[in-house]
């Protein structure tokens, strides 16, 4: 399913002029099926407000633009949000805080029961097993444990299993790597990459971390003051260091290195992934040696 937002605006506390906050102002953005799409921007730039529109958690206001996701028209009063939510899974920051059931099995099954009243116990069992194994946990060993006895990393995985259990086509994650140590972050990103390869067609990742975006995303958008400032491949959006700096944003470490090397005459024109950068650098060194 392709996502297309057109001129999307959103105001918090619209009824009060003094308190009104224009969180989004005319956001037009297309996210293609198959994208691993990054959303970056300073705190308060509208990222969370934007992604909460994508499964109808925030409804589109009157004369506030539109969103189409596949066949779903989210501005239409008759839009079937329940079925949309099974197809657009949403993972919030610190998702483990939303765990609540007595067993891992029941926690993961909850979403499925909720979306699908007539589903058989047998089907639930096999779908819960599928999603727990997809997030890299051993189903038989973990199914009867309380979510609260798990480690932090395991909890986060179980929370994600509870979202992918409906087999969504689109998975939206709002700052999902927050609070993880570097190793935890790396493992988490490799989990997302695996899911993107084999299970979820489109991933949308809200992130503060430019290295995560350059390493994983096919395309990304920079939000600022409720608007989309630029959209493109990581290579394209990270090309203007000064602009990013003026927004209080970093660039990926590979982009810094490319810039520094340019000043000494080494031109590495990579895709800004670490492997891509190293390849480009070694190629340049080989040329200099010749
Ligand atoms: P981000 O996720 O990029 O940090 P948000 O979408 O959370 O940005 O916020 C965009 C703007 O809307 C900010 O100015 C923020 O203070 C404001 N905002 C967010 N949530 C609410 C809310 N529930 N009530 C009022 N204002 C809000
Ligand atoms: Mg946010």
């Amino acid at each position: 399913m392709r996502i297309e937002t057109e001129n999307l605006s959103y105001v918090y506390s619209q009824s009060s002029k003094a308190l009104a906050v224009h969180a989004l102002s005319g956001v037009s953005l297309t996210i293609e099926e198959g994208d691993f799409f990054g959303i970056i921007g300073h705190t308060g730039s509208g990222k969370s407000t934007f992604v909460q529109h994508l499964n109808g958690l925030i409804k589109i206001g009157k004369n506030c633009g539109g969103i189409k996701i596949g066949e779903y028209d989210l501005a239409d009063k008759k839009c079937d949000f329940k079925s949309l939510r099974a197809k657009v899974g949403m993972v919030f920051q610190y998702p483990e805080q939303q765990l609540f059931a007595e067993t891992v099995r029941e926690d993961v099954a909850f979403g499925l029961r909720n979306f699908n009243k007539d589903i058989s116990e047998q089907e639930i069992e096999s779908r819960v097993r599928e999603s727990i194994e997809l997030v890299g946990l051993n189903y038989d060993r973990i199914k009867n444990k309380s979510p609260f006895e798990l480690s932090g990393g395991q909890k986060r995985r179980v929370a994600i299993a509870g979202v992918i259990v409906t087999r969504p086509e689109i998975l939206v994650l709002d700052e999902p790597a927050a609070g993880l140590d570097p190793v935890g972050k790396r493992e988490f990103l490799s989990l997302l990459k695996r899911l993107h390869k084999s299970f979820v067609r489109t991933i949308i990742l809200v992130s503060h971390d430019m290295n995560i975006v350059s390493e994983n995303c096919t395309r990304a958008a920079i939000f600022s003051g409720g608007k989309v400032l630029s959209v493109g491949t990581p290579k394209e959006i990270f090309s203007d260091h000064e602009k990013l700096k003026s927004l209080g944003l970093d660039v990926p470490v590979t982009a810094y290195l490319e810039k520094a090397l340019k000043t000494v005459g080494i031109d590495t024109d990579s895709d800004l992934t670490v492997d891509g950068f190293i390849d480009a650098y070694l190629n340049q060194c080989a040329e200099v040696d010749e």
Side-chain angles (χ1 to χ4, degrees):
M1 295 194 298
R2 168 188 221 220
I3 299 172
E4 228 176 333
T5 80
E6 209 188 314
N7 213 9
L8 187 66
S9 296
Y10 190 78
V11 185
Y12 287 103
S13 316
Q14 188 146 35
S15 51
S16 151
K17 266 215 170 103
L19 296 175
V21 179
H22 292 263
L24 296 176
S25 312
V27 172
S28 298
L29 195 59
T30 301
I31 299 173
E32 300 292 346
E33 181 166 317
D35 264 335
F36 195 130
F37 197 91
I39 294 187
I40 56 190
H42 207 270
T43 305
S45 57
K47 305 180 298 295
S48 294
T49 305
F50 177 74
V51 296
Q52 285 176 69
H53 275 85
L54 300 180
N55 74 348
L57 270 178
I58 296 181
K59 294 269 162 61
I60 304 172
K62 249 198 192 140
N63 304 320
C64 285
I67 306 178
K68 294 216 170 91
I69 302 181
E71 301 285 290
Y72 295 87
D73 179 352
L74 280 66
D76 185 346
K77 283 236 153 52
K78 283 176 265 158
C79 179
D80 182 354
F81 282 103
K82 191 167 175 180
S83 107
L84 175 74
R85 282 187 193 126
K87 293 195 170 145
V88 182
M90 188 81 66
V91 178
F92 296 102
Q93 208 173 351
Y94 301 105
E96 59 275 19
Q97 290 173 358
Q98 288 161 50
L99 299 174
F100 69 98
E102 277 181 29
T103 64
V104 168
R105 184 183 180 284
E106 274 318 299
D107 213 299
V108 175
F110 177 78
L112 203 52
R113 292 188 198 282
N114 204 24
F115 285 118
N116 209 333
K117 295 280 181 241
D118 310 319
I119 194 164
S120 70
E121 282 305 309
Q122 198 182 359
E123 177 72 3
I124 287 177
E125 179 80 13
S126 84
R127 296 279 286 271
V128 171
R129 176 186 290 276
E130 170 189 74
S131 53
I132 287 184
E133 286 175 354
L134 271 164
V135 299
L137 296 170
N138 183 313
Y139 178 64
D140 291 316
R141 215 176 296 154
I142 211 170
K143 63 179 175 187
N144 292 323
K145 286 196 177 169
S146 156
F148 303 101
E149 25 169 330
L150 306 177
S151 75
Q154 287 175 328
K155 277 185 195 160
R156 202 165 288 203
R157 282 164 193 264
V158 168
I160 288 169
V163 175
I164 62 172
V165 74
T166 64
R167 296 181 176 157
E169 291 184 35
I170 299 169
L171 184 63
V172 183
L173 303 108
D174 194 348
E175 310 263 7
L180 295 179
D181 61 30
V183 175
K185 239 180 224 182
R186 207 174 322 130
E187 282 174 4
F188 185 76
L189 262 303
S190 73
L191 162 63
L192 290 189
K193 269 195 161 159
R194 216 169 56 234
L195 286 177
H196 187 234
K197 250 195 196 132
S198 65
F199 196 69
V200 195
R201 296 197 61 83
T202 309
I203 289 192
I204 300 174
L205 180 69
V206 176
S207 180
H208 262 104
D209 189 326
M210 305 304 146
N211 295 312
I212 286 182
V213 172
S214 65
E215 200 57 42
N216 299 282
C217 294
T218 53
R219 296 197 311 132
I222 301 177
F223 276 58
S224 176
K227 294 187 162 73
V228 173
L229 223 62
S230 59
V231 50
T233 62
K235 180 81 182 172
E236 289 162 349
I237 61 167
F238 291 125
S239 61
D240 192 343
H241 293 210
E242 295 312 314
K243 182 158 125 193
L244 288 159
K245 214 185 269 170
S246 74
L247 296 171
L249 296 175
D250 254 337
V251 297
V253 68
T254 48
Y256 271 121
L257 291 170
E258 284 207 340
K259 196 177 175 195
L261 287 171
K262 216 167 240 161
T263 63
V264 296
I266 300 176
D267 197 1
T268 54
D269 188 19
S270 80
D271 61 1
L272 299 183
T273 63
V274 170
D275 284 348
F277 169 75
I278 291 173
D279 277 352
Y281 177 69
L282 292 177
N283 278 334
Q284 281 296 316
C285 292
E287 267 175 38
V288 170
D289 282 348
E290 273 163 16

